[in-house]
Amino acid sequence: MAHRIAVIGGDGIGPEVTTEALKVMRAAGVALDTTDFDLGGARYLRDGEILSEGTLNQLRAFDAILLGAVGTPEVPPGVIERGLLLKMRFELDLYINQRPFAGIAPGHTKPHDFIVIRENTEGPYVGEGGVLRRGTANEVATQGSVNTRMGVERCVRYAFELASKRERDRKSTRLNSSHVKRSRMPSSA
């Protein structure tokens, strides 16, 4: 049975990257049934569409979304990021950011093979913060980070389950910068 994939090529090199990614998946023997969605900065400039509720509901029916690159210099910062990327993350609960790495780091000879797992819908993504006294000499900006027990737990669980399935180096390492934060997770967490 073919995997149903929504493809958002987006802008710039995005369409080229998604085309090549699909070629690789098909060459690996993965059966795909793809549907292209015209979303991104160019679409926004053309007709104001970022991500309608109708399109969002269509995306819910797919097994996965393959996203290229989105955004153009003509669109103000934050418009596409909040209106497309974050909206998809929150509405579709796309809570895992999984980034594999295999290769040799600059200056090293030993190959590395690891996967970085990052929570994708909490932390700084919730948008807590703002600007006080905008446009004055006393202007100040704040950015908060909201992390729930549920959000952290499901991300950690995902990482451990992924590590247990690897053929080698079934290890999981937690990294954070809580040592410099006043309000932080206990060291035993």
Side-chain angles (χ1 to χ4, degrees), residues 141-157:
T142 62
Q143 176 67 57
S145 182
V146 177
N147 297 280
T148 66
R149 180 183 182 122
M150 179 204 73
V152 172
E153 187 174 286
R154 69 182 181 173
C155 189
V156 169
R157 188 173 310 283

Side-chain angles (χ1 to χ4, degrees), residues 6 11 18 27 31 34 36 39 63 80 100 105 107 111 116 118 136 155 164 166:
D11 305 301
T18 55
T34 62
D36 291 315
L39 297 170
D63 298 321
I80 300 299
V116 174
R118 190 181 75 199
T136 72
C155 189
S164 73
R166 289 176 57 96

Side-chain angles (χ1 to χ4, degrees), residues 9-19 68-69:
D11 305 301
I13 64 168
E16 181 181 346
V17 169
T18 55
T19 297

Side-chain angles (χ1 to χ4, degrees), residues 7-28:
V7 180
I8 303 172
D11 305 301
I13 64 168
E16 181 181 346
V17 169
T18 55
T19 297
E20 296 305 312
L22 291 170
K23 285 181 188 177
V24 169
M25 286 188 275
R26 288 184 173 117

Side-chain angles (χ1 to χ4, degrees), residues 6-10 35 37-40 49-62 64-70 79-96 120-121 125 154:
V7 180
I8 303 172
T35 302
F37 286 84
D38 179 19
L39 297 170
E49 167 79 12
I50 299 176
L51 179 61
S52 69
E53 291 303 313
T55 301
L56 188 60
N57 285 332
Q58 285 180 300
L59 292 172
R60 292 180 199 281
F62 288 87
I65 300 170
L66 176 60
L67 176 67
V70 291
V79 172
I80 300 299
E81 295 84 353
R82 285 189 295 274
L84 178 63
L85 299 176
L86 292 180
K87 186 174 180 180
M88 280 195 309
R89 286 182 192 177
F90 295 136
E91 294 293 325
L92 302 175
D93 200 24
L94 305 174
Y95 65 93
I96 292 295
N120 216 26
T121 59
Y125 300 117
R154 69 182 181 173

